[in-house]
Amino acid sequence: MSDCHNNLYELALGFRLLRQEGYYASADVFNNLKDTEGKIQEKLSEDVKGLMGLYEASQLSIKGEDILEEIGNFSSQLLNAWNTHNDHSQARIVRNTLGHPHHKSLARFMAKSFLSDFQGTDGWINVFRELAKMDFNVVKSIHQKEMLQVSKWWKDLGLAKELKFARNQPLKWYMWPLAVLPDPSLSEQRVELTKPISLVYIIDDIFDVHGTLDELTLFTEAVNRWEYAAVEQLPDYMKICFNALNGITNEISSKVYNDHGWNPMESLRKAWACLCNAFLVEAKWFADGHVPKADEYLKNGVISSGVHVVLVHMFFLLGHGITKRNVDIVDDFPEIISSVAKILRLWDDLGSAKDENQDGHDGSYLECYMKEKPGTSIENARCHVMHTISETWKRLNKECLVPNPFSTSFTKACLNVARMVPLMYSYDDNQCLPSLEEHMKLLVNESISS
């Protein structure tokens, strides 16, 4: 390792690839990049490709790895400075690296820019590019068929017609499973996963923009009991929603039992009850004019994010490692799920995360934090949130490294949820999602040509 600076990119790439696949590679290998005074060697600043590799590697850090913090800050500062003085294809690649590091980006969403940057004269590179383009275009046709299935299911369900106050965005909701389960062979799972995701949004709207506190209390009791006697007390619009929820839960439970020999009904009902309980807590806070402590809000908020409900469904739909022990772990909101939920909740609560056409009553972590700490500016509060998101990514990275009972497909899907979050919650001044819309257009409508 004495001359590791001569192979800086290879060192960083090897580390990143091992960690991405769940192997614990020690970050100590980067200590050799320091000089006798304990500082990162200045001569490394001349190697732009190596710096990009270091920045990419730093994204896989876990708590306590100070050296990865150092190389991340070192490389990002130098790359940003280098970028301000250069304006050519290399600068575009550097900007992509800083804005969309591999570990925190969705591979298929970045395919077009990667292929445009991946140029060369070697024959194998050109063959590789052609295969990648063929794969992209074939998968696009699969997604188009899935979108037709989702659209038909949503229309037949009839909730958009019955619940006019609620969001009507089935194709946007389908983007979650499209991103989270990129394997082309998981077409059926993507379509099925869109169904509970849709209900999370609809039930959120019932709690956030339409239901009275008395109605919401009755609805929560009905979901906890899951009995028709309780449902009979509900107003008509809630009966319609519960019947849809019950039908989807029964349908997915039957499918999982037929495919994998396990009936997940109890787990799915429990997850929905926990979600509604968390929604009701927030509704009571609003009704009472109560602003909770930031930690109290966030503890409830990771549940009301809906991530647990969705990932419980995904665990059973994937069908890998379904045992009594693993089911108990999934039901109990394990760290790999709670970390993803925390990332989503915090992104959602940033100031730019106001959804289209929604004038609801849900709270905000920023509001709670700033009330708890008087005098804190909105800029400092947002910096605190971004720092907390960064620290939560370290926890998620650790969960993907340590031995856990989950399959690789489930673990990577959890990572993909966290990767998708910025696209889903980065609203512009017009309350639109320009980045998501751009990716939707690319993945569903456009083809990649030579």
Side-chain angles (χ1 to χ4, degrees), residues 8 19 43 78 81 121 129 176 209 242 278 360 429:
L8 185 59
R19 285 219 171 175
K43 58 186 174 183
L78 288 171
T121 57
R129 291 182 78 249
W176 278 111
V209 302
F242 183 87
D429 292 339

Side-chain angles (χ1 to χ4, degrees), residues 177-247:
L178 180 151
V180 171
L181 301 173
D183 186 337
S185 68
L186 297 177
S187 180
E188 190 174 5
Q189 288 85 345
R190 281 190 290 275
V191 172
E192 291 301 313
L193 191 59
T194 305
K195 298 174 182 180
I197 290 173
S198 303
L199 265 294
V200 170
Y201 280 96
I202 296 301
I203 295 173
D204 179 47
D205 286 346
I206 287 176
F207 276 82
D208 186 28
V209 302
H210 195 73
T212 67
L213 187 58
D214 288 343
E215 290 173 344
L216 299 177
T217 301
L218 288 173
F219 185 81
T220 302
E221 290 174 356
V223 174
N224 274 271
R225 291 168 57 186
W226 214 284
E227 296 173 354
Y228 278 104
V231 176
E232 286 305 310
Q233 304 176 54
L234 299 177
D236 288 343
Y237 78 95
M238 284 185 168
K239 288 180 182 177
I240 292 169
C241 181
F242 183 87
N243 287 335
L245 175 63
N246 184 58

